[in-house]
């Protein structure tokens, strides 16, 4: 059993900052990568940023230069530092973890989501 838990969402004024955290725990043999997705009302879920082995990172164009994803391997935790927030960043943010379990199955696990609201 694997659990993925996010924290750190909230309400912020445009131009402000938030940091999201996501921790994976449970029957983990190896974390192959972690990432953040978001879904705004009426829109499809989109990849925001991800980090893989060797600290390779990818970002959606709309957040490049404003958001930074980082990881703490010892804590099985990933962070998303969000600066210069815009109203269009408002969404539910979901953490994903691509994990090899102790049973050697490989699956994507999702957190429950955390709301980020940016007021104009």
């Amino acid at each position: 059993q694997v659990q993925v838990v996010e924290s750190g969402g909230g309400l912020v004024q445009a131009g402000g900052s938030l940091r999201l955290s996501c921790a994976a725990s449970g029957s983990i043999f190896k974390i192959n990568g972690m990432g953040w997705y978001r879904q705004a009302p009426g829109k499809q879920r989109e990849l925001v940023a991800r980090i893989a082995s060797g600290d390779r990172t990818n970002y959606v164009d709309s957040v490049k230069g404003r958001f930074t994803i980082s990881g703490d391997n010892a804590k099985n935790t990933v962070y998303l530092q969000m600066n210069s927030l815009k109203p269009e960043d408002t969404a539910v943010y979901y953490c994903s973890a691509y994990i090899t379990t102790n049973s050697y199955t490989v699956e994507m696990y999702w957190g429950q989501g955390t709301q980020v609201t940016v007021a104009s």
Side-chain angles (χ1 to χ4, degrees):
Q1 196 79 338
V2 174
Q3 297 80 40
V4 176
V5 179
E6 306 109 331
S7 61
L11 172 65
V12 66
Q13 294 293 317
S17 298
L18 282 174
R19 189 173 87 148
L20 306 182
S21 299
C22 171
S25 62
S27 181
I28 297 171
F29 176 74
K30 179 184 176 184
I31 295 181
N32 305 297
M34 296 184 78
W36 290 95
Y37 289 72
R38 66 186 178 188
Q39 187 166 18
K43 294 188 177 182
Q44 289 188 328
R45 188 175 297 191
E46 67 170 352
L47 174 67
V48 177
R50 61 186 172 192
I51 186 167
S53 301
D55 290 337
R56 291 174 292 129
T57 59
N58 296 96
Y59 298 90
V60 67
D61 286 346
S62 60
V63 308
K64 286 180 180 177
R66 300 188 298 122
F67 291 11
T68 302
I69 189 169
S70 61
D72 184 334
N73 293 333
K75 296 180 179 179
N76 289 342
T77 298
V78 67
Y79 306 97
L80 186 67
Q81 178 66 43
M82 305 185 293
N83 298 328
S84 303
L85 282 160
K86 304 176 180 180
E88 51 264 43
D89 294 317
T90 295
V92 178
Y93 284 69
Y94 297 91
C95 178
S96 68
Y98 191 50
I99 289 173
T100 301
T101 70
N102 287 334
S103 302
Y104 301 108
T105 59
V106 182
E107 293 185 40
M108 183 78 84
Y109 293 86
W110 294 89
Q112 78 285 357
T114 185
Q115 177 70 46
V116 171
T117 302
V118 184
S120 58

